[in-house]
Amino acid sequence: MGLSAREKMMIVRGGAVYLAVVLLVVASARLGLVPGAGEVGGADGLFTHPYRLAMAIAGFLLAAALGTWSAVAGVTTRRIWLGLMLLAAGGAVALLASEIAPAILYPDDRYPVAFSWMLGGSPVAVVTWLAATAGGWATGREGSASPA
């Protein structure tokens, strides 16, 4: 049995919103609207440079949203594999889009935002997806159980 029109629309709308937010974050960084974009900062840590901090927060929030959205899509359609595929597709979109953001500059090295997302964001997306899928699946089973 295929997806209903409502399920397809939910997936398309969620994907469009996610894509728009990813592109907005990357475009903002690219246009220099994120403080410190393209500036070399100290190697002291994540919270010592405004661009690193802003991209870390944006990456974390996008990863959590991706994990949640893909889990909800998988659970509501009762197709966990679909949620996993949406998670992978959204991760690929975030990785590719963040590749064009200005680099996170350390004194001697340049790291693309995509590298930071891969190390920090993708685990958050996977853990969020697992937790939301498990929670949604367990809640769905409890809701469908008949009283004894």
Side-chain angles (χ1 to χ4, degrees), residues 120-148:
S122 60
V124 170
V126 170
V127 168
T128 304
W129 179 82
L130 285 169
T133 298
W137 201 256
T139 303
R141 286 186 181 172
E142 287 174 11
S144 65
S146 59

Side-chain angles (χ1 to χ4, degrees), residues 40-89:
V40 176
D44 299 331
L46 176 67
F47 300 109
T48 61
H49 193 272
Y51 180 63
R52 284 187 231 160
L53 179 61
M55 295 313 282
I57 291 170
F60 176 84
L61 293 175
L62 284 170
L66 172 62
T68 303
W69 169 72
S70 57
V72 167
V75 170
T76 57
T77 62
R78 296 183 186 268
R79 291 172 176 87
I80 300 303
W81 62 268
L82 177 63
L84 188 57
M85 297 307 291
L86 292 171
L87 177 68

